[in-house]
Amino acid sequence: MSSIEPNEPNPADAPPSEWALAHLSDLHLTDPLADADAPLAIKQRLGRASWRRRRSLIHQPAVLAALAADLHAQAPRQIAISGDLVQIGLRREFEQAADWLAGFAPPARLLLVPGNHEAYVANTWQAGRECWRPYLAGAADGAPWLLRRDRLLLIGLSSAVPSWTGLATGTLGRTQIAALDAALQAGADEGLFRVVVIHHPPATNVVSWRKRLTDHRRFAQVIARRGAGVILHGHAHRATLSQLAGPAGPVAVVGAPSASALDRRPDRMAGYNLLRIRPSAHGWQLRLSRRVFRPQTQDFDWQEHHDLASHG
């Protein structure tokens, strides 16, 4: 980790050969009490009770608003959101999130993937995703979302599947993993920097077994065969940095904390990742910087910077 720099250069001033990508996750921006008469499954009832008792004190709309303003001040060219905008998957929550997205960024600048809270119980994601249709265009069911900008290829995956009460697991499925394999190979053939965005951490030891990606081994096999520039995820509600094996060396796996969490623990305080990507003589240069909320001053500042090896 490099030293903290008080005056980080603005990505808007970067040369055309550099791309700035912002990554945030686990916004939990909605109000599960907004539709008080909606029929609820048992897991949703328990989730709403947890929100009333604890989660509503952690996830603060004012913190998320400050993050959105700070992120736009950094002028990233693209933005990735790795899921969990809602709480318990109510239709009204999807509508609230759609309103927030419309004011946050246009679809052309944003890659969005769902998290386990979007698929809180059976059919919540299938019913609610229509509200986000402008941000989910261009992919058939079971296929990744692909967003190409110059030499940057963003590959969005859905690990959002319903799970039993007490579990928050995710699954990609064989069809989506095969499509990922093809997209990574096509991106490599074109010499693109490939960014994989998924909600559940694909690396082990990041979350407990009850929150795991159930087919993480198959995912890792694809990365080992095809490689990737970087893998972005959420779900753990903390800033993490791990890796998976790739054909030319390790592939960085980067986790973001909750974008709205007021948590005194440094790795769990609200924040987002800013990645600067540029080609080099030896492949690609990748710099990961983290912006973290400061409760004392109600703003964001640089927490850390990492220069990461990447083969794209």
Side-chain angles (χ1 to χ4, degrees):
M1 184 176 71
S2 63
S3 60
I4 295 177
E5 302 174 13
N7 295 309
E8 189 75 355
N10 191 325
D13 299 327
S17 59
E18 180 173 294
W19 295 268
L21 169 66
H23 167 225
L24 64 157
S25 193
D26 298 84
L27 287 65
H28 294 291
L29 63 92
T30 58
D31 180 3
L33 302 179
D35 189 357
D37 297 326
L40 301 179
I42 292 176
K43 185 174 182 178
Q44 288 175 306
R45 292 180 183 276
L46 294 173
R48 179 182 276 180
S50 175
W51 184 86
R52 279 173 163 163
R53 182 177 64 254
R54 183 178 64 88
R55 295 176 65 88
S56 63
L57 303 177
I58 298 173
H59 298 289
Q60 298 290 317
V63 173
L64 180 60
L67 182 146
D70 186 84
L71 184 152
H72 286 303
Q74 301 306 315
R77 296 186 180 184
Q78 293 297 140
I79 303 169
I81 300 181
S82 52
D84 276 7
L85 281 70
V86 307
Q87 312 285 0
I88 59 174
L90 298 179
R91 172 77 181 196
R92 180 62 188 129
E93 289 187 90
F94 281 97
E95 293 170 351
Q96 289 175 341
D99 290 342
W100 185 90
L101 287 167
F104 177 67
R109 286 188 64 207
L110 178 62
L111 180 76
L112 171 67
V113 302
N116 58 291
H117 280 257
E118 276 75 53
Y120 208 70
V121 295
N123 298 321
T124 54
W125 172 235
Q126 289 81 353
R129 64 184 297 175
E130 292 302 319
C131 298
W132 299 356
R133 181 56 58 187
Y135 294 89
L136 301 173
D141 286 344
W145 292 281
L146 303 178
L147 183 62
R148 177 175 176 174
R149 292 294 179 265
D150 300 317
R151 294 186 65 190
L152 199 67
L153 175 64
L154 278 71
I155 305 172
L157 303 173
S158 174
S159 57
V161 295
S163 58
W164 295 105
T165 300
L167 298 179
T169 53
T171 302
L172 293 170
R174 292 179 181 273
T175 299
Q176 195 172 193
I177 288 177
L180 169 65
D181 187 296
L184 288 171
Q185 183 59 54
D189 291 343
E190 292 189 52
L192 306 180
F193 187 90
R194 300 157 298 163
V195 180
V196 179
V197 184
I198 181 175
H199 179 69
H200 288 78
T204 58
N205 301 321
V206 177
V207 293
S208 67
W209 69 271
R210 73 180 190 87
K211 295 183 177 183
R212 72 194 186 283
L213 181 68
T214 61
D215 45 6
H216 65 89
R217 290 186 180 87
R218 290 195 181 97
F219 178 92
Q221 289 169 356
V222 171
I223 299 301
R225 183 166 57 250
R226 304 299 185 195
V230 67
I231 301 166
L232 307 178
H233 71 83
H235 193 48
H237 285 209
R238 60 189 178 93
T240 61
L241 179 58
S242 51
Q243 62 185 34
L244 290 176
V251 177
V253 180
V254 178
S258 165
S260 62
L262 193 59
D263 194 314
R264 299 293 176 176
R265 294 169 289 183
D267 63 336
R268 293 180 178 271
M269 181 62 78
Y272 65 94
N273 299 319
L274 189 66
L275 298 103
R276 293 189 182 87
I277 304 157
R278 63 184 305 151
S280 72
H282 305 288
W284 296 85
Q285 293 178 345
L286 173 62
R287 188 167 218 226
L288 164 65
S289 301
R290 300 193 194 269
R291 298 280 290 177
V292 176
F293 185 67
R294 300 186 297 182
Q296 299 84 355
T297 52
Q298 298 289 295
D299 63 0
F300 284 75
D301 198 4
W302 302 106
Q303 183 186 58
E304 58 189 18
H305 307 287
H306 301 265
D307 291 311
L308 306 173
S310 179
H311 298 275

